PDB file of all heavy atoms in Angstrom:
ATOM      1  N   SER B  62       1.626  -5.820  12.700  1.00 72.00           N
ATOM      2  CA  SER B  62       1.295  -6.822  11.641  1.00 72.00           C
ATOM      3  C   SER B  62       1.301  -8.210  12.347  1.00 72.00           C
ATOM      4  O   SER B  62       2.357  -8.737  12.586  1.00 72.00           O
ATOM      5  CB  SER B  62       2.284  -6.747  10.564  1.00 72.00           C
ATOM      6  OG  SER B  62       2.115  -7.909   9.760  1.00 72.00           O
ATOM      7  N   HIS B  63       0.200  -8.732  12.691  1.00 82.00           N
ATOM      8  CA  HIS B  63       0.165 -10.036  13.422  1.00 82.00           C
ATOM      9  C   HIS B  63       0.516 -11.188  12.482  1.00 82.00           C
ATOM     10  O   HIS B  63       1.389 -11.987  12.833  1.00 82.00           O
ATOM     11  CB  HIS B  63      -1.189 -10.163  14.147  1.00 82.00           C
ATOM     12  CG  HIS B  63      -1.431  -9.131  15.112  1.00 82.00           C
ATOM     13  ND1 HIS B  63      -0.848  -9.154  16.341  1.00 82.00           N
ATOM     14  CD2 HIS B  63      -2.220  -8.006  15.118  1.00 82.00           C
ATOM     15  CE1 HIS B  63      -1.225  -8.052  17.034  1.00 82.00           C
ATOM     16  NE2 HIS B  63      -2.011  -7.325  16.307  1.00 82.00           N
ATOM     17  N   ARG B 107      -6.207  -9.219  12.598  1.00 90.00           N
ATOM     18  CA  ARG B 107      -7.008  -9.059  13.796  1.00 90.00           C
ATOM     19  C   ARG B 107      -7.853  -7.782  13.678  1.00 90.00           C
ATOM     20  O   ARG B 107      -8.158  -7.095  14.714  1.00 90.00           O
ATOM     21  CB  ARG B 107      -6.110  -9.072  15.039  1.00 90.00           C
ATOM     22  CG  ARG B 107      -5.208 -10.220  14.942  1.00 90.00           C
ATOM     23  CD  ARG B 107      -4.610 -10.685  16.175  1.00 90.00           C
ATOM     24  NE  ARG B 107      -3.912 -11.957  15.896  1.00 90.00           N
ATOM     25  CZ  ARG B 107      -3.358 -12.732  16.626  1.00 90.00           C
ATOM     26  NH1 ARG B 107      -3.428 -12.422  17.931  1.00 90.00           N
ATOM     27  NH2 ARG B 107      -2.754 -13.832  16.291  1.00 90.00           N
ATOM     28  N   ARG B 110     -12.664  -9.641  14.609  1.00 94.00           N
ATOM     29  CA  ARG B 110     -12.427 -10.638  15.684  1.00 94.00           C
ATOM     30  C   ARG B 110     -13.617 -11.519  15.901  1.00 94.00           C
ATOM     31  O   ARG B 110     -14.132 -11.621  17.005  1.00 94.00           O
ATOM     32  CB  ARG B 110     -12.040  -9.892  16.935  1.00 94.00           C
ATOM     33  CG  ARG B 110     -10.726  -9.289  16.803  1.00 94.00           C
ATOM     34  CD  ARG B 110     -10.420  -8.417  18.016  1.00 94.00           C
ATOM     35  NE  ARG B 110      -9.071  -7.822  17.883  1.00 94.00           N
ATOM     36  CZ  ARG B 110      -7.945  -8.644  18.330  1.00 94.00           C
ATOM     37  NH1 ARG B 110      -8.146  -9.692  18.898  1.00 94.00           N
ATOM     38  NH2 ARG B 110      -6.784  -8.006  18.198  1.00 94.00           N
ATOM     39  N   TYR B 187      -7.964   2.328   4.011  1.00 97.00           N
ATOM     40  CA  TYR B 187      -8.067   2.779   5.382  1.00 97.00           C
ATOM     41  C   TYR B 187      -8.847   1.659   6.214  1.00 97.00           C
ATOM     42  O   TYR B 187      -8.476   1.376   7.267  1.00 97.00           O
ATOM     43  CB  TYR B 187      -8.826   4.074   5.436  1.00 97.00           C
ATOM     44  CG  TYR B 187      -8.116   5.264   4.792  1.00 97.00           C
ATOM     45  CD1 TYR B 187      -8.418   5.624   3.560  1.00 97.00           C
ATOM     46  CD2 TYR B 187      -7.110   6.016   5.556  1.00 97.00           C
ATOM     47  CE1 TYR B 187      -7.693   6.772   2.951  1.00 97.00           C
ATOM     48  CE2 TYR B 187      -6.500   7.053   5.035  1.00 97.00           C
ATOM     49  CZ  TYR B 187      -6.795   7.491   3.654  1.00 97.00           C
ATOM     50  OH  TYR B 187      -6.175   8.621   3.107  1.00 97.00           O
ATOM     51  N   ASP B 298      -5.080  -0.955 -12.606  1.00 98.00           N
ATOM     52  CA  ASP B 298      -3.603  -0.649 -12.893  1.00 98.00           C
ATOM     53  C   ASP B 298      -2.846  -1.772 -13.396  1.00 98.00           C
ATOM     54  O   ASP B 298      -2.088  -1.722 -14.351  1.00 98.00           O
ATOM     55  CB  ASP B 298      -2.948  -0.203 -11.494  1.00 98.00           C
ATOM     56  CG  ASP B 298      -3.449   1.164 -11.011  1.00 98.00           C
ATOM     57  OD1 ASP B 298      -3.447   2.012 -11.840  1.00 98.00           O
ATOM     58  OD2 ASP B 298      -3.829   1.258  -9.901  1.00 98.00           O
ATOM     59  N   ARG B 299      -3.112  -2.990 -12.735  1.00 97.00           N
ATOM     60  CA  ARG B 299      -2.380  -4.102 -13.279  1.00 97.00           C
ATOM     61  C   ARG B 299      -3.462  -5.068 -13.942  1.00 97.00           C
ATOM     62  O   ARG B 299      -4.590  -5.125 -13.590  1.00 97.00           O
ATOM     63  CB  ARG B 299      -1.721  -4.924 -12.200  1.00 97.00           C
ATOM     64  CG  ARG B 299      -0.795  -4.147 -11.416  1.00 97.00           C
ATOM     65  CD  ARG B 299       0.124  -4.932 -10.412  1.00 97.00           C
ATOM     66  NE  ARG B 299      -0.676  -5.637  -9.421  1.00 97.00           N
ATOM     67  CZ  ARG B 299      -0.118  -6.310  -8.474  1.00 97.00           C
ATOM     68  NH1 ARG B 299       1.192  -6.498  -8.483  1.00 97.00           N
ATOM     69  NH2 ARG B 299      -0.776  -6.883  -7.493  1.00 97.00           N
ATOM     70  N   ASN B 300      -2.939  -5.909 -14.802  1.00 97.00           N
ATOM     71  CA  ASN B 300      -3.857  -6.838 -15.521  1.00 97.00           C
ATOM     72  C   ASN B 300      -4.137  -8.130 -14.691  1.00 97.00           C
ATOM     73  O   ASN B 300      -4.934  -8.943 -15.127  1.00 97.00           O
ATOM     74  CB  ASN B 300      -3.334  -7.183 -16.928  1.00 97.00           C
ATOM     75  CG  ASN B 300      -3.271  -5.948 -17.757  1.00 97.00           C
ATOM     76  OD1 ASN B 300      -4.100  -5.063 -17.624  1.00 97.00           O
ATOM     77  ND2 ASN B 300      -2.313  -5.924 -18.693  1.00 97.00           N
ATOM     78  N   ARG B 384     -17.575   2.125 -25.042  1.00 98.00           N
ATOM     79  CA  ARG B 384     -17.100   0.863 -25.609  1.00 98.00           C
ATOM     80  C   ARG B 384     -18.314  -0.094 -25.495  1.00 98.00           C
ATOM     81  O   ARG B 384     -18.470  -0.950 -26.357  1.00 98.00           O
ATOM     82  CB  ARG B 384     -15.989   0.431 -24.861  1.00 98.00           C
ATOM     83  CG  ARG B 384     -14.661   1.175 -25.153  1.00 98.00           C
ATOM     84  CD  ARG B 384     -13.449   0.569 -24.491  1.00 98.00           C
ATOM     85  NE  ARG B 384     -12.387   1.243 -24.735  1.00 98.00           N
ATOM     86  CZ  ARG B 384     -11.178   0.738 -24.620  1.00 98.00           C
ATOM     87  NH1 ARG B 384     -10.906  -0.444 -24.198  1.00 98.00           N
ATOM     88  NH2 ARG B 384     -10.018   1.443 -24.947  1.00 98.00           N
TER      89      ARG B 384
ATOM     90  N   ARG C 322       8.358 -11.915  17.792  1.00 97.00           N
ATOM     91  CA  ARG C 322       7.629 -11.030  16.875  1.00 97.00           C
ATOM     92  C   ARG C 322       7.802  -9.546  17.339  1.00 97.00           C
ATOM     93  O   ARG C 322       7.979  -9.267  18.454  1.00 97.00           O
ATOM     94  CB  ARG C 322       6.068 -11.428  16.798  1.00 97.00           C
ATOM     95  CG  ARG C 322       5.950 -12.862  16.261  1.00 97.00           C
ATOM     96  CD  ARG C 322       6.441 -13.021  14.871  1.00 97.00           C
ATOM     97  NE  ARG C 322       5.577 -12.329  13.935  1.00 97.00           N
ATOM     98  CZ  ARG C 322       4.648 -12.783  13.314  1.00 97.00           C
ATOM     99  NH1 ARG C 322       4.155 -14.100  13.544  1.00 97.00           N
ATOM    100  NH2 ARG C 322       3.857 -12.115  12.432  1.00 97.00           N
ATOM    101  N   GLU C 391       2.140 -13.413  19.321  1.00 94.00           N
ATOM    102  CA  GLU C 391       1.178 -12.432  18.815  1.00 94.00           C
ATOM    103  C   GLU C 391       0.183 -12.076  19.985  1.00 94.00           C
ATOM    104  O   GLU C 391      -0.192 -10.948  20.077  1.00 94.00           O
ATOM    105  CB  GLU C 391       0.544 -12.916  17.599  1.00 94.00           C
ATOM    106  CG  GLU C 391       1.400 -12.746  16.341  1.00 94.00           C
ATOM    107  CD  GLU C 391       1.849 -11.338  16.137  1.00 94.00           C
ATOM    108  OE1 GLU C 391       1.227 -10.353  16.523  1.00 94.00           O
ATOM    109  OE2 GLU C 391       2.915 -11.214  15.438  1.00 94.00           O
ATOM    110  N   GLU C 395      -0.480  -8.128  21.829  1.00 93.00           N
ATOM    111  CA  GLU C 395      -1.726  -7.505  22.024  1.00 93.00           C
ATOM    112  C   GLU C 395      -1.965  -7.012  23.406  1.00 93.00           C
ATOM    113  O   GLU C 395      -2.812  -6.252  23.663  1.00 93.00           O
ATOM    114  CB  GLU C 395      -2.979  -8.390  21.523  1.00 93.00           C
ATOM    115  CG  GLU C 395      -2.927  -8.559  20.051  1.00 93.00           C
ATOM    116  CD  GLU C 395      -4.156  -9.265  19.631  1.00 93.00           C
ATOM    117  OE1 GLU C 395      -4.355 -10.530  19.728  1.00 93.00           O
ATOM    118  OE2 GLU C 395      -5.116  -8.494  19.241  1.00 93.00           O
ATOM    119  N   THR C 584       7.047 -10.094   8.979  1.00 95.00           N
ATOM    120  CA  THR C 584       5.856 -10.330   8.129  1.00 95.00           C
ATOM    121  C   THR C 584       6.028  -9.558   6.813  1.00 95.00           C
ATOM    122  O   THR C 584       6.830  -8.614   6.672  1.00 95.00           O
ATOM    123  CB  THR C 584       4.642  -9.941   8.873  1.00 95.00           C
ATOM    124  OG1 THR C 584       4.661  -8.487   8.981  1.00 95.00           O
ATOM    125  CG2 THR C 584       4.557 -10.589  10.147  1.00 95.00           C
ATOM    126  N   ASP C 948      -3.819   2.880 -24.979  1.00 98.00           N
ATOM    127  CA  ASP C 948      -5.238   3.026 -25.238  1.00 98.00           C
ATOM    128  C   ASP C 948      -5.710   4.331 -24.728  1.00 98.00           C
ATOM    129  O   ASP C 948      -5.606   4.608 -23.524  1.00 98.00           O
ATOM    130  CB  ASP C 948      -5.963   1.854 -24.446  1.00 98.00           C
ATOM    131  CG  ASP C 948      -7.359   1.739 -24.751  1.00 98.00           C
ATOM    132  OD1 ASP C 948      -8.105   2.856 -24.914  1.00 98.00           O
ATOM    133  OD2 ASP C 948      -7.924   0.677 -24.768  1.00 98.00           O
ATOM    134  N   GLU C 950      -8.549   5.544 -24.379  1.00 98.00           N
ATOM    135  CA  GLU C 950      -9.784   5.593 -23.562  1.00 98.00           C
ATOM    136  C   GLU C 950      -9.616   5.055 -22.166  1.00 98.00           C
ATOM    137  O   GLU C 950     -10.366   5.393 -21.250  1.00 98.00           O
ATOM    138  CB  GLU C 950     -10.819   4.759 -24.278  1.00 98.00           C
ATOM    139  CG  GLU C 950     -11.421   5.439 -25.547  1.00 98.00           C
ATOM    140  CD  GLU C 950     -12.527   4.704 -26.172  1.00 98.00           C
ATOM    141  OE1 GLU C 950     -12.505   3.415 -26.207  1.00 98.00           O
ATOM    142  OE2 GLU C 950     -13.454   5.404 -26.720  1.00 98.00           O
ATOM    143  N   ASP C 997      -0.764   9.219   3.446  1.00 97.00           N
ATOM    144  CA  ASP C 997      -1.745  10.182   3.777  1.00 97.00           C
ATOM    145  C   ASP C 997      -1.057  11.331   4.613  1.00 97.00           C
ATOM    146  O   ASP C 997      -0.601  11.004   5.707  1.00 97.00           O
ATOM    147  CB  ASP C 997      -2.947   9.602   4.558  1.00 97.00           C
ATOM    148  CG  ASP C 997      -4.028  10.506   4.753  1.00 97.00           C
ATOM    149  OD1 ASP C 997      -3.807  11.767   4.877  1.00 97.00           O
ATOM    150  OD2 ASP C 997      -5.197  10.113   4.871  1.00 97.00           O
ATOM    151  N   LYS C1012       1.541  -2.978  -6.108  1.00 95.00           N
ATOM    152  CA  LYS C1012       1.337  -3.229  -7.519  1.00 95.00           C
ATOM    153  C   LYS C1012       2.626  -3.377  -8.374  1.00 95.00           C
ATOM    154  O   LYS C1012       2.783  -2.740  -9.433  1.00 95.00           O
ATOM    155  CB  LYS C1012       0.471  -2.131  -8.178  1.00 95.00           C
ATOM    156  CG  LYS C1012      -0.837  -2.041  -7.388  1.00 95.00           C
ATOM    157  CD  LYS C1012      -1.762  -1.095  -8.126  1.00 95.00           C
ATOM    158  CE  LYS C1012      -3.119  -1.135  -7.262  1.00 95.00           C
ATOM    159  NZ  LYS C1012      -4.142  -0.353  -7.854  1.00 95.00           N
ATOM    160  N   PRO C1013       3.665  -4.146  -7.922  1.00 95.00           N
ATOM    161  CA  PRO C1013       4.675  -4.499  -8.952  1.00 95.00           C
ATOM    162  C   PRO C1013       3.973  -5.223 -10.153  1.00 95.00           C
ATOM    163  O   PRO C1013       3.026  -5.888 -10.003  1.00 95.00           O
ATOM    164  CB  PRO C1013       5.555  -5.473  -8.136  1.00 95.00           C
ATOM    165  CG  PRO C1013       4.831  -5.947  -7.031  1.00 95.00           C
ATOM    166  CD  PRO C1013       3.760  -4.989  -6.754  1.00 95.00           C
TER     167      PRO C1013
END
Side-chain angles (χ1 to χ4, degrees):
Chain B
S62 164
H63 295 283
R107 312 202 173 183
R110 292 175 173 271
Y187 294 97
D298 288 310
R299 302 194 295 185
N300 294 329
R384 288 181 178 205
Chain C
R322 298 298 290 271
E391 282 303 335
E395 290 192 277
T584 68
D948 189 323
E950 288 186 322
D997 187 328
K1012 307 189 178 184

